[in-house]
């Protein structure tokens, strides 16, 4: 088994290195073509290009690794199947999964290494690459004086020549404006011819001017007209410092805040800061919005809990007063009325005595006592109802306090302030403020989405190596075609699918249409079931790419169709 594992690993590693290097080179060339115009005519030198290509190669390696795994696994198992070596391995009782195990372990280790590479090496390489690219963009083009055009590349000078000979040194009819004095075109040099060449390791440009004139206009103190001088010369030498054409390196610390120059720990910290900034911006708007509402929202400062507590305390107080009032009513009723036993005794006396007058007086007194009891009972009910209505009104008042206009203020100021115009101005102000805050929140959300995408890409790009292996190895054993033909075509097809899915969902995630973390993983999650499907078909020796396999299915369908007739 060790020999077989060694054979399979050797068959895999060589194509893997080759395809990874080729894929990295293609991606670097494709990426640097975007900045081709920034490289032209700046005399950068080979060392600058080599440094830039090296750093961009490290950047592109994270994308080239999954493609290298896909192509090499397809080629490896395609070659094994084409030369019947895979068939011999299976005939020896070794399953396909066991044959895949050494490369799978290698890919797992490669995935772990790719993760740490993406987390630590790539941010440092990006810092070097993009800082150098920034310096290249801001570098002046090389010295290139053209015929009939003013050249302003040299600071404080403007040079124009009528004719430039093929030796690139001899110039005819030279015109030079000297702006070193800072007073405009008050110094002019005219020469019939000139010789131009570099000196001191090409750090200085020397012009040998022949047969010309030097015109100068100098201000004269306390005079309305300046002095004008003309100097004729047979030869005059001028030396220009070309240090402004050098590549000046900017401090790399200025680029460290970019998300591509950060690792996962730094990105996580920045994500928390951005989320806090979003919440702080929203809270600041609501906190400052009170200034745009003159007449209400004053009661908002009273918490709702305080209102509820005050209402409950008042309700308990009213309830106690209600109980006390009922008790007082009962006590008053009992104090003003005859006891029930005396009233019953008087009724008995009416029945026992024959005196009509006395009986009539007693019955009238009983009727009066009964009416008094009914009246007091009715008053008690009315008072209880009044207390309940008062409690309901207090509750309604407590609820309305949250959004009630201060009518006293309106009535007091209505004669002095145009309320409608004030309300209109305040509405316009809060609309502008809301628009500004909304735009800032949208920008913060976009930055937050980009930071989240950058964080999870370090995981997903490393995991893509495993996904591509699960697609390439089983598919190669099914196709049984090695070399650079079919495997490369199939690999490009799947890699383009992976790349397009990534681009589409990342773009939508940056705009906030979908969750950014999910958008980064959707390409891996989409291709993983395809790889598992190919693995299952390879285990059962399915002939997915054999025409005979599909011809059999067509014949079966034709047979069933003929029987149904």
């Amino acid at each position: 088994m060790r020999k077989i594992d060694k054979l399979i690993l050797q068959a895999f590693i060589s194509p893997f290195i080759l395809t990874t290097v080729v894929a990295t080179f293609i991606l670097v060339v494709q990426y640097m073509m975007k900045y081709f115009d920034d490289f032209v005519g700046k005399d950068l030198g080979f060392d600058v290009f080599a440094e830039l290509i090296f750093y961009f190669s490290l950047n592109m390696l994270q994308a080239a690794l999954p493609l290298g795994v896909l192509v090499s696994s397809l080629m490896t198992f395609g070659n094994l199947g084409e030369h019947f070596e895979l068939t011999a391995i299976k005939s020896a009782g070794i399953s396909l999964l066991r044959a895949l195990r050494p490369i799978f372990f290698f890919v797992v280790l490669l995935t772990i290494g790719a993760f740490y590479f993406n987390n630590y090496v790539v941010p440092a390489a990006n810092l070097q690459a993009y800082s150098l690219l920034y310096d290249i963009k801001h570098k002046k083009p090389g010295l290139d004086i053209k015929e009939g055009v003013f050249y302003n590349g040299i600071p404080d000078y403007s040079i124009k020549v009528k004719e430039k000979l093929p030796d690139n040194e001899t110039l005819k009819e030279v015109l030079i404006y000297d702006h070193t004095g800072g007073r405009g075109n008050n110094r002019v040099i005219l020469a019939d011819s000139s010789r131009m060449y570099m000196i001191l390791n090409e750090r200085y440009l020397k012009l040998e001017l022949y047969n010309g004139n030097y015109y100068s206009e100098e201000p004269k103190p306390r005079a309305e007209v300046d002095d004008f001088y003309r100097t004729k010369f047979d030869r005059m030498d001028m030396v220009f410092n070309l240090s402004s054409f050098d590549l000046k390196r900017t401090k790399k610390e200025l680029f460290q805040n970019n998300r591509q120059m950060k690792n996962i720990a730094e990105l996580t910290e920045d994500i928390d800061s951005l989320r806090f900034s979003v919440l702080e911006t929203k809270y600041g708007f609501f906190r400052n919005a009170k200034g745009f509402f003159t007449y209400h929202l004053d009661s908002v400062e009273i918490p709702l809990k305080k209102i509820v507590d005050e209402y409950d305390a008042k309700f308990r107080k009213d309830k106690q007063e209600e109980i006390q009032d009922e008790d007082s009513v009962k006590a008053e009723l009992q104090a003003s009325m005859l006891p029930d036993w005396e009233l019953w005794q008087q009724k008995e006396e009416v029945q026992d005595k024959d005196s009509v007058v006395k009986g009539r007086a007693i019955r009238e007194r009983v009727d009066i006592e009964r009416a008094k009891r009914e009246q007091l009972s009715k008053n008690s009910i009315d008072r209880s109802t009044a207390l309940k209505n008062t409690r309901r009104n207090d509750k309604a008042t407590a609820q309305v306090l949250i959004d009630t206009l201060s009518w006293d203020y309106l009535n007091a100021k209505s004669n002095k302030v145009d309320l409608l115009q004030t309300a209109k101005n305040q509405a316009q102000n809060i609309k502008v403020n809301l628009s500004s805050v909304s735009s800032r929140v949208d920008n913060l959300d976009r930055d937050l989405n980009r930071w989240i995408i950058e964080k999870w890409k370090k995981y997903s790009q490393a995991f893509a190596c495993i996904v591509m292996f699960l697609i390439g190895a089983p598919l190669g054993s099914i196709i049984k075609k090695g070399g650079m033909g079919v495997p490369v075509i199939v690999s490009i097809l799947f890699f383009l699918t992976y790349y397009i899915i990534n681009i589409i969902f990342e773009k939508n995630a940056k705009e906030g249409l979908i969750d950014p973390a999910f958008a980064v993983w959707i390409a891996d999650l989409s291709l993983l079931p395809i790889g598992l499907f190919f693995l299952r078909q390879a285990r059962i020796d399915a002939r997915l790419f054999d025409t005979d396999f599909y011809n059999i299915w067509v014949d079966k369908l034709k047979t069933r169709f003929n029987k149904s007739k």
Side-chain angles (χ1 to χ4, degrees):
M1 287 302 301
R2 291 182 179 179
K3 293 184 178 180
I4 295 177
D5 293 341
K6 184 178 179 180
L7 172 66
I8 295 176
L9 279 175
Q10 289 178 348
F12 174 81
I13 291 177
S14 297
F16 170 71
I17 296 174
L18 176 63
T19 54
T20 303
V21 171
V22 173
T24 303
F25 176 76
I26 294 174
L27 292 175
V28 169
V29 172
Q30 177 267 337
Y31 189 77
M32 292 187 65
M33 287 299 292
K34 297 191 300 182
Y35 306 104
F36 181 77
D37 294 338
D38 298 321
F39 303 149
V40 177
K42 294 190 176 181
D43 298 332
L44 295 175
F46 176 78
D47 55 341
V48 176
F49 278 109
E51 183 180 0
L52 190 64
I53 291 174
F54 173 72
Y55 289 133
F56 275 127
S57 298
L58 296 178
N59 185 11
M60 294 300 160
L61 185 60
Q62 58 181 340
L65 282 176
L67 180 59
V69 171
L70 177 61
V71 177
S72 58
S73 58
L74 265 167
M75 293 176 61
T76 300
F77 286 91
N79 287 326
L80 292 176
E82 186 176 9
H83 296 91
F84 300 102
E85 294 175 345
L86 192 60
T87 303
I89 291 174
K90 292 180 179 180
S91 63
I94 302 173
S95 65
L96 178 64
L97 295 180
R98 178 61 184 84
L100 294 176
R101 191 168 70 178
I103 301 181
F104 178 75
F105 286 157
F106 175 81
V107 172
V108 170
L109 295 176
L110 179 67
T111 301
I112 297 173
F115 167 73
Y116 285 102
F117 180 83
N118 295 343
N119 193 31
Y120 296 105
V121 179
V122 172
N126 287 338
L127 180 61
Q128 299 289 339
Y130 286 104
S131 61
L132 178 59
L133 183 61
Y134 175 84
D135 296 334
I136 291 174
K137 286 184 176 181
H138 289 80
K139 182 183 181 302
K140 290 184 178 180
L143 185 66
D144 187 15
I145 299 177
K146 297 181 180 180
E147 297 178 351
V149 179
F150 278 101
Y151 178 75
N152 301 313
I154 300 176
D156 299 327
Y157 289 95
S158 182
I159 303 174
K160 179 182 177 181
V161 299
K162 185 176 181 180
E163 184 180 358
K164 185 176 181 181
L165 298 184
D167 59 1
N168 289 326
E169 291 187 359
T170 307
L171 309 176
K172 297 291 185 180
E173 297 188 18
V174 181
L175 171 63
I176 301 176
Y177 284 102
D178 184 357
H179 299 147
T180 55
R183 293 190 298 269
N185 299 326
N186 59 341
R187 296 178 183 177
V188 182
I189 301 173
L190 295 175
D192 291 339
S193 61
S194 174
R195 181 169 175 261
M196 177 180 67
Y197 56 92
M198 303 290 184
I199 60 174
L200 300 178
N201 296 325
E202 298 186 351
R203 297 188 60 84
Y204 296 91
L205 172 67
K206 185 175 182 180
L207 283 180
E208 297 177 356
L209 302 172
Y210 302 99
N211 299 326
N213 293 281
Y214 178 79
Y215 302 95
S216 176
E217 184 179 355
E218 302 295 337
K220 185 178 182 180
R222 297 183 300 275
E224 297 181 357
V225 180
D226 297 336
D227 291 337
F228 182 77
Y229 300 95
R230 184 183 67 176
T231 303
K232 186 176 181 180
F233 60 85
D234 293 332
R235 173 178 173 175
M236 184 174 70
D237 294 341
M238 297 184 67
V239 179
F240 303 96
N241 189 353
L242 301 181
S243 60
S244 61
F245 292 89
D246 295 339
L247 180 64
K248 299 179 180 179
R249 299 304 303 268
T250 309
K251 292 183 178 180
K252 299 179 180 61
E253 292 79 7
L254 300 177
F255 302 91
Q256 289 181 347
N257 291 329
N258 191 283
R259 65 184 185 277
Q260 294 180 331
M261 289 69 169
K262 296 178 179 291
N263 55 30
I264 291 178
E266 295 170 341
L267 288 171
T268 303
E269 184 178 355
D270 290 343
I271 289 171
D272 293 338
S273 300
L274 286 171
R275 284 174 176 167
F276 178 77
S277 298
V278 172
L279 296 177
E280 187 179 24
T281 302
K282 293 179 179 179
Y283 172 73
F285 170 75
F286 288 109
R287 181 184 58 194
N288 298 327
K290 183 179 179 297
F292 296 98
F293 297 92
T294 304
Y295 307 116
H296 66 291
L297 293 182
D298 291 335
S299 58
V300 171
E301 295 180 357
I302 303 176
L304 185 60
K305 184 177 183 301
K306 183 177 179 181
I307 296 176
V308 174
D309 293 340
E310 290 179 356
Y311 165 73
D312 291 339
K314 189 172 182 180
F315 171 76
R316 288 192 296 268
K317 182 179 179 181
D318 293 341
K319 186 67 175 177
Q320 292 176 358
E321 292 177 356
E322 180 181 352
I323 294 173
Q324 294 175 0
D325 290 339
E326 290 179 355
D327 294 338
S328 63
V329 168
K330 292 180 180 179
E332 182 181 356
L333 179 63
Q334 293 175 359
S336 62
M337 294 175 60
L338 292 174
D340 293 338
W341 64 271
E342 292 185 3
L343 188 59
W344 176 79
Q345 185 177 4
Q346 289 184 4
K347 290 181 180 180
E348 293 294 332
E349 291 179 355
V350 172
Q351 295 177 359
D352 295 340
K353 298 181 179 181
D354 295 333
S355 175
V356 177
V357 176
K358 189 175 181 179
R360 184 181 300 170
I362 293 174
R363 280 194 293 269
E364 289 176 356
R365 186 177 179 182
V366 171
D367 293 335
I368 291 172
E369 293 294 334
R370 185 183 293 113
K372 185 187 293 186
R373 178 175 294 187
E374 292 176 354
Q375 182 65 30
L376 291 174
S377 179
K378 181 179 180 183
N379 291 339
S380 177
I381 295 173
D382 293 340
R383 185 167 184 176
S384 177
T385 304
L387 289 173
K388 292 179 180 179
N389 292 334
T390 302
R391 177 162 50 84
R392 293 194 189 97
N393 294 333
D394 291 340
K395 183 178 179 181
T397 303
Q399 293 174 345
V400 174
L401 275 176
I402 298 176
D403 193 17
T404 300
L405 295 176
S406 184
W407 294 108
D408 295 336
Y409 178 82
L410 292 177
N411 292 332
K413 301 291 184 179
S414 59
N415 296 328
K416 300 179 181 179
V417 182
D418 188 356
L419 301 179
L420 294 178
Q421 184 63 33
T422 303
K424 179 181 177 182
N425 294 337
Q426 290 178 342
Q428 291 176 348
N429 291 335
I430 198 170
K431 180 180 179 181
V432 173
N433 193 16
L434 178 61
S435 177
S436 176
V437 171
S438 176
S439 177
R440 173 171 170 76
V441 170
D442 290 341
N443 292 332
L444 288 174
D445 286 335
R446 291 190 185 94
D447 291 338
L448 177 60
N449 293 333
R450 290 187 177 97
W451 256 254
I452 295 175
I453 289 172
E454 188 66 27
K455 173 185 175 181
W456 288 105
K457 277 179 68 175
K458 298 183 184 299
Y459 295 98
S460 64
Q461 286 184 339
F463 185 75
C465 295
I466 296 178
V467 175
M468 293 302 175
F469 170 75
L470 293 177
I471 292 176
L475 192 58
S477 62
I478 294 174
I479 295 176
K480 295 182 176 62
K481 295 289 184 181
M484 298 292 293
V486 176
V488 173
I489 296 175
V490 176
S491 300
I492 292 175
L493 176 63
F494 280 101
F495 186 77
L496 286 178
T497 304
Y498 173 82
Y499 184 77
I500 291 173
I501 293 175
N502 259 335
I503 293 296
I504 293 176
F505 281 89
E506 284 183 13
K507 183 177 180 180
N508 292 331
K510 291 177 182 178
E511 297 299 327
L513 300 179
I514 58 177
D515 183 72
F518 174 75
V520 173
W521 285 99
I522 189 64
D524 293 338
L525 297 178
S526 299
L527 295 180
L528 182 60
I530 298 177
L532 296 177
F533 171 75
F534 285 150
L535 182 61
R536 177 184 178 275
Q537 298 296 70
R539 288 185 61 191
I540 61 176
D541 292 329
R543 298 179 298 169
L544 294 178
F545 298 95
D546 291 346
T547 56
D548 295 340
F549 175 77
Y550 297 99
N551 290 332
I552 294 173
W553 278 97
V554 172
D555 293 338
K556 289 182 179 180
L557 290 175
K558 288 181 180 180
T559 303
R560 292 183 179 180
F561 182 74
N562 293 329
K563 289 182 178 180
S564 63
K565 289 184 178 181

